[in-house]
Amino acid sequence: DKDTIRSLFHALEEQGYNVEAKDTGEDRLYFLPTEIDKRFSLPESNHYRIGLISDTHLGSDAEHLKELHEYYDRLQDRGITRVFHCGDISDGWKVHTGHLNEIKDEAAGWGNLKEYVIQNYPERDSITTHFIEGNHDNKFYNRNNIRFGRLLGNRRPDLHYCGNSQATFNLTDDIDLELIHPSGGKPYTTGYRLQTLYRERNPDERPSIAGVGHLHGSMYAQTEGVHGVYAGAWKGTTTYGKRKGHQAKIGGWILDIDIKDGSIAQIVPQWHGWDERNTSNRYEMQEL
């Protein structure tokens, strides 16, 4: 009967599946969509003050969890109620060769990792975090067809799961904020990825503001008609990262966005950074 069917789909949603429905006239079709990128609307205002972060990688030996909590304390002190997270809320599991050696024991395996993120990600009564999945989070979907981010959102009301790798938020009819976790490695120059992300897009489809994850870098620039922000990271450079030639910028942003007559009057980006802790294998040699 209909109630049984609804309860079964609700159970699937609780397990992390993204179930959508479509009316076909006489019937209703339930399905698991392959694309879940969504567009959201925020209460319209002339001024927005938001937090923008990315790549917290909770569960990694190199996570900067203490600093992440300090950042959320700063947001709370400044009355900020919304944080936008550009992906890789977790460090995932078996993401690359040797990855198991970089994970905390208590976060080993997807079940333990889920509980670790739920228990340790900053929670403040006044703050909602809107987040997308990154490539590390995506590994669970690739192997099990279950959205890891949805599992987190089911348990933490303050964590709003907004899609896989990309989501768009309407500030006004003409101004939007895109969160994106691009694919590929680090570019050979800092600003190059921002250009390539939007250069080939139709100008009408480019966002007004872009929060870019994955690169573990910190930068604000305007290019291709987009206010672009590399959203930083909260994971130090591991052995794997050093082999790739990566360097992490630990921290996140506070953005003040002023809107006048339907367009962006100004954006004031404030970077809040912390020193990266040494994660290299260093040994003290005794003098003979």
Side-chain angles (χ1 to χ4, degrees), residues 102-162:
E102 301 174 356
I103 298 293
K104 289 186 170 184
D105 291 342
E106 60 269 37
W110 286 107
N112 290 333
L113 181 63
K114 177 187 70 175
E115 294 301 323
Y116 184 86
V117 175
I118 289 168
Q119 296 300 322
N120 289 281
Y121 194 91
E123 183 175 8
R124 304 293 184 271
D125 289 340
S126 59
I127 297 178
T128 299
T129 300
H130 307 271
F131 73 101
I132 59 174
E133 289 175 325
N135 59 301
H136 281 244
D137 310 310
N138 279 343
K139 288 295 181 180
F140 196 43
Y141 179 77
N142 294 341
R143 293 168 183 152
N144 301 282
N145 202 37
I146 294 175
R147 292 294 181 196
F148 185 70
R150 188 173 292 279
L151 295 177
L152 301 178
N154 287 341
R155 294 274 301 278
R156 282 279 300 267
D158 60 311
L159 297 180
H160 285 199
Y161 170 59
C162 298

Side-chain angles (χ1 to χ4, degrees), residues 3-286:
D3 290 339
T4 301
I5 292 172
R6 288 194 188 97
S7 66
L8 289 172
F9 282 117
H10 179 71
L12 284 173
E13 290 178 325
E14 289 295 314
Q15 294 173 41
Y17 290 96
N18 184 44
V19 180
E20 291 194 4
K22 180 189 296 183
D23 289 319
T24 62
E26 297 181 358
D27 302 313
R28 170 165 272 208
L29 172 67
Y30 291 89
F31 62 100
L32 303 179
T34 56
E35 295 293 332
I36 60 168
D37 300 339
K38 294 185 182 296
R39 183 175 286 269
F40 303 86
S41 293
L42 300 180
E44 193 165 325
S45 174
N46 292 324
H47 176 79
Y48 295 89
R49 171 173 277 190
I50 62 173
L52 183 68
I53 62 173
S54 189
D55 293 270
T56 46
H57 286 275
L58 292 199
S60 169
D61 274 334
E63 70 181 17
H64 283 60
L65 185 58
K66 175 177 175 290
E67 292 83 352
L68 181 62
H69 277 272
E70 291 174 0
Y71 169 77
Y72 267 76
D73 288 338
R74 293 186 188 183
L75 298 182
Q76 190 172 45
D77 290 343
R78 289 162 172 77
I80 293 171
T81 60
R82 294 184 187 272
V83 178
F84 295 88
H85 190 304
C86 302
D88 282 349
I89 194 171
S90 79
D91 205 45
W93 177 244
K94 296 183 180 180
V95 176
H96 55 74
T97 302
H99 185 229
L100 278 64
N101 299 321
E102 301 174 356
I103 298 293
K104 289 186 170 184
D105 291 342
E106 60 269 37
W110 286 107
N112 290 333
L113 181 63
K114 177 187 70 175
E115 294 301 323
Y116 184 86
V117 175
I118 289 168
Q119 296 300 322
N120 289 281
Y121 194 91
E123 183 175 8
R124 304 293 184 271
D125 289 340
S126 59
I127 297 178
T128 299
T129 300
H130 307 271
F131 73 101
I132 59 174
E133 289 175 325
N135 59 301
H136 281 244
D137 310 310
N138 279 343
K139 288 295 181 180
F140 196 43
Y141 179 77
N142 294 341
R143 293 168 183 152
N144 301 282
N145 202 37
I146 294 175
R147 292 294 181 196
F148 185 70
R150 188 173 292 279
L151 295 177
L152 301 178
N154 287 341
R155 294 274 301 278
R156 282 279 300 267
D158 60 311
L159 297 180
H160 285 199
Y161 170 59
C162 298
N164 167 33
S165 301
Q166 188 273 342
T168 303
F169 299 83
N170 296 328
L171 307 185
T172 70
D173 289 339
D174 301 314
I175 299 172
D176 51 18
L177 164 67
E178 177 178 82
L179 308 183
I180 189 165
H181 199 92
S183 60
K186 265 202 166 184
Y188 68 92
T189 61
T190 301
Y192 183 68
R193 177 58 59 80
L194 188 63
Q195 290 178 304
T196 58
L197 272 174
Y198 297 108
R199 185 173 55 205
E200 300 302 324
R201 275 204 210 177
N202 187 309
D204 292 339
E205 297 175 351
R206 295 172 189 169
S208 310
I209 308 165
V212 182
H214 187 56
L215 305 178
H216 291 211
S218 167
M219 183 189 77
Y220 167 77
Q222 287 182 259
T223 184
E224 310 297 335
V226 177
H227 295 266
V229 185
Y230 289 178
W234 303 87
K235 175 185 177 180
T237 310
T238 61
T239 301
Y240 175 82
K242 289 175 182 177
R243 286 169 50 213
K244 293 284 188 179
H246 297 171
Q247 183 181 14
K249 295 294 185 182
I250 307 300
W253 293 89
I254 292 176
L255 299 182
D256 281 286
I257 306 165
D258 289 318
I259 297 173
K260 185 176 181 181
D261 298 329
S263 59
I264 296 175
Q266 71 171 357
I267 295 180
V268 180
Q270 304 171 31
W271 172 250
H272 291 253
W274 282 260
D275 292 334
E276 180 183 355
R277 292 194 302 276
N278 186 10
T279 58
S280 63
N281 296 322
R282 290 183 176 271
Y283 303 91
E284 296 293 333
M285 302 297 292
Q286 291 185 346

